[in-house]
């Protein structure tokens, strides 16, 4: 039902990639600026600092502590839980440390700068993926929809979600365009950013394996035809030229733009693909193995660290129990119904992507992100932001908006942007971590 090949919008006058993405990036910046202004006003009314809320609370503090002091910090809670900073992957703290060393920025300032720049890179990656699948207008609305998510304020916090989404989106785009080494490298970096980097690795590997099988099938089919037909020497050259052109066309459909891959230009495509697949899991595997060595618990060391935070994978039992438990009284029943409706909406959007024949890497990536977010027994208040990297879920909505009248779609996005800004300010000024 899916294909690595993507449907491209009808040919138009060529524009540079930056010019094509410019409206989406400007719209994204406007939405995020609105959210920050509303946050500043709301926080000032509550005698709080919006800047502190963005840079120095909850996970942001853990990241800056890693950047400043390295790993090894632990907190033992009264209930016996052990919170270790080994639970936080290292790429964001490394970047914070780098910016701090290169200029006058504090670690918190550096974290905010990384997040803001990464959010723009994520918007560009989302546009690139959506444009390739559904066209430039759908790409614009995909970026705007990602910006106006109810928890979109996290994109402007010193958290790792924006950085991870940027790496994931560009890795997926590299897969769709046949740039295997770039895809693997970006997947490895995503694996150094968050545990859900496994989703990017899975997408790269799924695409690579399908491509390998297609290459084998194509070679087998061509070889069988050669044996059966046994052309005469006079016609052999003509047949070879036709077959070569046909093979090149089929390969281009299976691996779009593979010939444009910049990495290892002299190497055959199969070697670039194999190298990309080998590189992809190195980030996640490297950090997990390092944590296991540091804790002395081998392969299970990182799982023990997460268990100290009461994070685990139970197939969604804890989350289902939490949602159903809300239905026992009023008004908490409204929360329970909202959670059930939200999960149903996520499933519906994923199935819409399947029906619309989204490329296989997008479906694999989104499916793994959904599974890790919904089937983990982690803090339930963080579920919305854990789902934020699953941007391909927005593509069916973006496609629908792209087909509606421009004035109506613009008003819809603008109204949601205002609601998102207000909700983000309210949410971030609350007591619990996002």
């Amino acid at each position: 039902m899916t294909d690595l090949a993507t449907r491209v919008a009808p040919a138009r006058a060529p524009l540079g990639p930056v010019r094509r993405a410019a409206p989406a990036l400007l719209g994204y910046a406007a939405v995020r600026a609105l959210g920050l202004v509303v946050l500043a006003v709301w926080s000032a009314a509550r005698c709080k600092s919006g800047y502190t809320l963005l840079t120095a609370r909850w996970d942001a503090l853990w990241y800056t502590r890693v950047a400043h002091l390295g790993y090894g910090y632990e907190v033992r809670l009264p209930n016996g839980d052990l919170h270790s900073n080994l639970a936080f992957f290292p790429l964001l703290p490394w970047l914070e440390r780098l910016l701090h060393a290169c200029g006058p920025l504090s670690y918190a300032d550096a974290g905010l700068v990384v997040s803001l720049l990464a959010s723009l890179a994520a918007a560009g990656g989302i546009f690139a993926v959506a444009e390739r699948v559904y066209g430039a207008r759908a790409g614009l609305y995909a970026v705007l929809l990602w910006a106006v998510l109810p928890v979109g304020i996290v994109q402007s916090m010193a958290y790792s979600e924006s950085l991870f989404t940027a790496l994931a989106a560009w890795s997926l785009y590299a897969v769709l365009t046949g740039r295997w080494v770039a895809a693997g490298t970006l997947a490895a970096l995503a694996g150094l950013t968050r545990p859900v980097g496994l989703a990017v690795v899975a997408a790269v590997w799924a695409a690579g394996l399908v491509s390998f099988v297609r290459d084998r099938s194509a070679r087998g089919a061509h070889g069988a035809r050669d044996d059966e037909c046994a052309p005469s020497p006079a016609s052999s050259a003509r047949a070879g030229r036709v077959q070569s052109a046909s093979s090149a066309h089929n390969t281009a459909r299976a691996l779009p733009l593979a010939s444009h891959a910049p990495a290892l230009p002299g190497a055959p495509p199969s070697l670039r693909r194999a190298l990309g697949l080998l590189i992809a899991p190195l980030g996640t595997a490297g950090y997990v193995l390092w944590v296991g060595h540091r804790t002395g618990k081998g392969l299970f060391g990182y799982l023990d660290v997460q268990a100290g935070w009461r994070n685990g994978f139970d197939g969604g039992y804890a989350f289902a129990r939490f949602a159903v438990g809300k239905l026992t009284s009023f008004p908490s029943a409204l929360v329970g119904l909202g959670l059930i409706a939200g999960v149903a909406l996520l499933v519906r959007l994923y199935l819409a992507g399947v029906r619309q024949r989204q490329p296989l890497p997008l479906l694999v990536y989104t499916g793994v992100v959904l599974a890790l977010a919904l089937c983990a027994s982690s803090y339930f208040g963080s579920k919305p932001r854990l789902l934020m990297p699953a941007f391909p879920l927005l593509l069916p909505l973006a496609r629908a908006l792209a087909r509606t009248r421009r004035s109506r779609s613009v008003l819809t996005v603008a109204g949601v942007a205002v609601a998102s800004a207000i909700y983000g300010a309210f949410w971030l000024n609350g007591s619990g971590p996002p």
Side-chain angles (χ1 to χ4, degrees):
M1 295 183 64
T2 61
D3 201 304
L4 285 180
T6 53
R7 294 169 297 281
V8 182
R12 298 179 180 178
L15 293 174
V18 176
R19 288 185 61 188
R20 293 199 308 272
L25 296 178
L26 290 174
Y28 177 81
V31 172
R32 293 279 23 97
L34 174 64
L36 293 176
V37 169
V38 173
L39 173 66
V41 173
W42 192 295
S43 302
R46 295 174 58 87
C47 300
K48 292 183 179 181
S49 167
Y51 177 80
T52 300
L53 294 176
L54 294 172
T55 61
R57 294 188 75 187
W58 305 304
D59 288 10
L61 285 176
W62 287 91
Y63 282 118
T64 55
R65 188 176 285 116
V66 172
H68 185 202
L69 303 173
Y71 285 103
Y73 179 79
E74 298 177 342
V75 175
R76 177 73 68 175
L77 302 185
N79 65 356
D81 290 347
L82 180 65
H83 287 186
S84 168
N85 64 0
L86 290 171
F88 295 88
F89 277 53
L91 186 57
L92 176 57
W94 286 348
L95 294 175
E96 291 177 344
R97 184 180 297 177
L98 177 63
L99 285 184
H100 172 74
C102 293
L105 297 176
S106 68
Y107 293 108
D109 294 336
L112 185 61
V113 170
V114 170
S115 181
L116 292 176
L117 294 178
S119 67
L120 287 173
I126 292 171
F127 174 83
V129 171
E131 180 195 34
R132 183 155 185 86
V133 178
Y134 294 130
R137 193 175 181 195
L140 167 66
Y141 286 113
V143 170
L144 294 178
L145 287 174
W146 192 68
V148 303
L149 289 174
V151 294
I153 191 65
V154 174
Q155 298 164 17
S156 301
M157 296 179 67
Y159 273 38
S160 61
E161 273 75 13
S162 290
L163 179 60
F164 174 80
T165 304
L167 294 168
W170 284 110
S171 179
L172 291 171
Y173 180 74
V175 170
L176 295 178
T177 54
R179 295 167 168 86
W180 292 105
V181 177
T185 302
L186 291 167
L189 292 173
L192 286 171
T193 307
R194 297 189 61 81
V196 75
L198 288 171
V200 190
V201 177
V204 173
W205 271 75
L209 293 176
V210 169
S211 174
F212 174 78
V213 170
R214 283 179 172 169
D215 283 355
R216 290 288 299 271
S217 299
R219 285 196 296 268
H222 293 159
R225 284 196 295 270
D226 288 343
D227 292 340
E228 293 170 1
C229 296
S232 65
S235 62
S236 178
R238 292 193 302 271
R241 288 193 294 269
V242 173
Q243 180 176 336
S244 176
S246 175
S247 176
H249 175 71
N250 291 337
T251 302
R253 281 185 56 80
L255 293 174
L257 303 184
S259 61
H260 298 289
L264 301 177
S270 59
L271 179 58
R272 293 196 297 266
R273 179 178 60 210
L275 184 57
L277 297 185
L278 288 174
I279 294 172
L282 294 182
T284 300
Y287 183 69
V288 169
L289 291 174
W290 180 81
V291 171
H293 174 74
R294 183 181 177 100
T295 59
K297 296 182 179 180
L299 295 175
F300 301 101
Y302 184 76
L303 296 179
D304 287 345
V305 169
Q306 287 287 358
W309 288 79
R310 299 208 172 189
N311 293 334
F313 191 86
D314 61 0
Y317 173 77
F319 183 47
R321 183 177 178 182
F322 174 80
V324 173
K326 292 291 184 180
L327 300 177
T328 58
S329 61
F330 188 84
S332 65
L334 298 178
V335 176
L337 291 174
L339 290 174
I340 295 172
V343 172
L345 176 61
L346 293 173
V347 173
R348 183 174 182 180
L349 289 174
Y350 184 78
L351 294 177
V354 174
R355 289 193 299 270
Q356 293 175 9
R357 298 175 60 85
Q358 284 185 10
L360 176 66
L362 301 189
L363 294 177
V364 171
Y365 168 77
T366 307
V368 176
V369 172
L370 284 176
L372 292 177
L374 297 178
C375 298
S377 58
S378 56
Y379 173 62
F380 301 116
S382 296
K383 296 289 186 184
R385 72 172 175 87
L386 296 180
L387 289 164
M388 191 164 57
F391 68 89
L393 290 173
L394 302 173
L395 297 188
L397 297 177
R399 187 187 189 192
L401 284 173
R403 292 178 170 181
T404 61
R405 194 168 55 190
R406 186 182 298 271
S407 59
R408 179 179 300 176
S409 57
V410 169
L411 287 175
T412 299
V413 172
V416 177
V418 172
S420 174
I422 295 173
Y423 179 77
F426 167 78
W427 185 48
L428 203 53
N429 276 273
S431 57

